[in-house]
Amino acid sequence: MLWLVVSLSLGSCAEGKNLARRAGQVPAYVPGVVSEAEPAVEAPPAELRARYPWLEGRAQVRLTTSGNHMLLVEVYGDHAPLTAGNFVDLVSRGYYNGTGLIVDPKFILRAAAEPFVDPDTGEARRLPLEIQPEGASQAVYGRTFAEAGLPVGALPVLKNSYRGALALSHPEGDPNTGSARFFISYGNGEIIPYDGNALDGFYSVFGYVIDGVTYGDPDEPLQRITDGETIVRAEVVAGLENLRLPGEA
């Protein structure tokens, strides 16, 4: 999916052009927001709560890189409780400290974390895909929008289109194997095809950068992070009390 999006974007337009074509699609370079009209999603199913951490409500995480760049992230447990809980849990463990960053110019910033291995079980944590459709009070688990039979053009509450959107990474065609790797979107209009963002409905977005994204500012932290920097510190600065561990109600 990622290489497909890149190939679609090459030569498509001048840098920064907004290719949004319909009302529900967000324009390029806009920081992430969630409409207050969207309902909070229900807690994950009991069988998933028994196996994975999850987030009841919201949290904030600060990422500091080796280049002394800082990003403050809002994590949405009210719209992606399982994926958000996984991220907050790993941050609280210090798991991302020392993680390398890879810049795909104009596309995404990737955090190249290895899959998390649960010390209690010795098994790698693999999360099912989790995406809340607009207007729905339940997330779709384990299936892409296409596999779930949602209509063509259906959009998620948390969109990949926004500049600073965080999503859990997984190999193309294997959406239920996400673990610790994540990517941050640059929100470039060049990768938004005319019929919508090709990543929406295929990747679990769980947060937005709320401080560190100001497109057009030469000192914007997101834009100044360079290939090869590392996350020297990831810390939960608010909402850790909302983290629920496996087996908690």
Side-chain angles (χ1 to χ4, degrees), residues 64-142:
T64 304
T65 76
S66 56
N68 200 31
H69 302 116
M70 289 188 293
L71 302 174
L72 182 64
V73 176
E74 183 91 357
V75 184
Y76 296 93
D78 50 348
H79 297 291
L82 195 69
T83 318
N86 174 69
F87 181 70
V88 171
D89 177 60
L90 294 181
V91 170
S92 70
R93 294 171 181 266
Y95 193 72
Y96 288 111
N97 298 341
T99 295
L101 297 172
I102 302 170
V103 173
D104 291 335
K106 302 182 182 179
F107 183 28
I108 58 174
L109 173 69
R110 292 185 286 157
E114 293 299 319
F116 171 68
V117 177
D118 190 319
D120 295 328
T121 65
E123 297 181 355
R125 180 187 292 170
R126 303 290 187 180
L127 267 69
L129 196 65
E130 175 189 50
I131 311 176
Q132 179 189 10
E134 286 184 332
S137 60
Q138 292 183 328
V140 174
Y141 287 95

Side-chain angles (χ1 to χ4, degrees), residues 124-206:
R125 180 187 292 170
R126 303 290 187 180
L127 267 69
L129 196 65
E130 175 189 50
I131 311 176
Q132 179 189 10
E134 286 184 332
S137 60
Q138 292 183 328
V140 174
Y141 287 95
R143 295 173 295 169
T144 65
F145 273 15
E147 292 169 340
L150 271 70
V152 175
L155 292 171
V157 170
L158 300 177
K159 300 173 179 63
N160 287 275
S161 322
Y162 287 120
R163 187 172 183 82
L166 277 78
L168 193 65
S169 182
H170 60 74
E172 182 184 356
D174 205 358
N176 296 314
T177 59
S179 182
R181 293 194 176 200
F182 66 90
F183 60 85
I184 303 177
S185 172
Y186 288 127
N188 193 324
E190 292 186 31
I191 68 162
I192 305 178
Y194 296 123
D195 58 350
N197 189 313
L199 302 183
D200 285 338
F202 291 89
Y203 289 84
S204 304
V205 176
F206 58 86

